[in-house]
Amino acid sequence: MTRGKPDARPSEARLRLLATATRRFYAEGIHSVGIDRIIAEAKVTRATFYRHFPSKDDLILAYLREVHEMERSTVDAAIATGSSPVDPLRAIAGSIAQHIQSPGFRGCAFLNAAAEYPAADHPVRQEIIAHRQWFLDTLSTLMAQVHQETADPAARHFVMLRDGAMAAGCLFDPALVSETFLRGVEGLLSINAERQSTGSSG
């Protein structure tokens, strides 16, 4: 018997389970949605569920990784736009503002999950930290093209603006929150671009 290449395509059952979990975990919270409900809505057997996800934590990690890949695709598309160093950062901010104003917006999936998993050594918490570190590192790299010396603090500032907007966007007028967020990002970019042009590091 000749061994062929393994089929890397996920099964239909796994896709349904992950899609159901992604929808329900984000809309209603992770702890409030049980495995039985996900199995029923995905129309799979319990044995099928456990074949793909040995525990609920495995499903939660898969959910967070799915959200990470979606956000990474959006960021990669933004990075590919424009020729000015600030263009990708503006595009990232624009995609965040668009997300805040989208139907069914309930904040940041990772911040929401962090509120449910406070233990620092839990695998879910570690997945959240890894995602946020990736986002911060990406912004730092992009900010370095605007102004090298202040790239790290500027990236942290961007993340804080983003976190505030994501938290406020599901509590207050999302259009107003988005406008305020974009204005804050534009001010941050303008300050750092001016520093680059004048050669200032302060």
Side-chain angles (χ1 to χ4, degrees):
M1 180 176 179
T2 304
R3 177 181 294 179
K5 292 182 179 179
D7 189 351
R9 293 174 299 176
S11 72
E12 288 295 327
R14 188 184 191 282
L15 290 173
R16 289 201 306 275
L17 284 164
L18 186 53
T20 302
T22 299
R23 183 172 62 254
R24 292 303 179 192
F25 286 164
Y26 181 70
E28 302 175 34
I30 295 171
H31 288 324
S32 65
V33 179
I35 292 299
D36 288 343
R37 183 176 173 192
I38 291 172
I39 289 172
E41 291 193 20
K43 296 181 172 59
V44 301
T45 65
R46 181 174 290 273
T48 298
F49 173 85
Y50 285 111
R51 184 166 65 249
H52 292 291
F53 303 102
S55 70
K56 184 178 178 180
D57 280 354
D58 290 299
L59 178 62
I60 296 164
L61 291 171
Y63 152 65
L64 292 174
R65 289 163 187 161
E66 179 76 4
V67 177
H68 169 78
E69 288 304 322
M70 289 188 288
E71 293 192 9
R72 183 165 192 147
S73 294
T74 300
V75 169
D76 287 346
I79 291 173
T81 65
S83 56
S84 166
V86 299
D87 285 346
L89 291 157
R90 284 183 176 136
I92 291 171
S95 69
I96 292 168
Q98 186 176 25
H99 180 40
I100 290 170
Q101 298 179 75
S102 64
F105 175 75
R106 288 184 54 82
C108 170
F110 291 92
L111 292 179
N112 293 347
E116 296 195 61
Y117 289 87
D121 60 345
H122 196 285
V124 170
R125 187 79 172 197
Q126 293 172 0
E127 193 73 27
I128 294 164
I129 296 301
H131 166 79
R132 290 179 62 79
Q133 190 62 55
W134 159 80
F135 188 56
L136 178 60
D137 290 345
T138 300
L139 291 176
S140 294
T141 299
L142 294 171
M143 283 292 185
Q145 298 175 31
V146 179
H147 188 241
Q148 177 70 49
E149 288 77 8
T150 57
D152 290 343
R156 291 194 297 270
H157 193 166
F158 190 116
V159 172
M160 290 183 68
L161 288 171
R162 180 261 185 199
D163 287 350
M166 293 290 273
C170 56
L171 298 173
F172 305 104
D173 181 354
L176 182 59
V177 170
S178 297
E179 179 186 344
T180 304
F181 166 66
L182 291 174
R183 189 183 307 119
V185 170
E186 193 60 41
L188 177 64
L189 295 177
S190 296
I191 289 171
N192 284 273
E194 182 178 352
R195 286 170 174 165
Q196 178 72 1
S197 64
T198 61
S200 171
S201 60

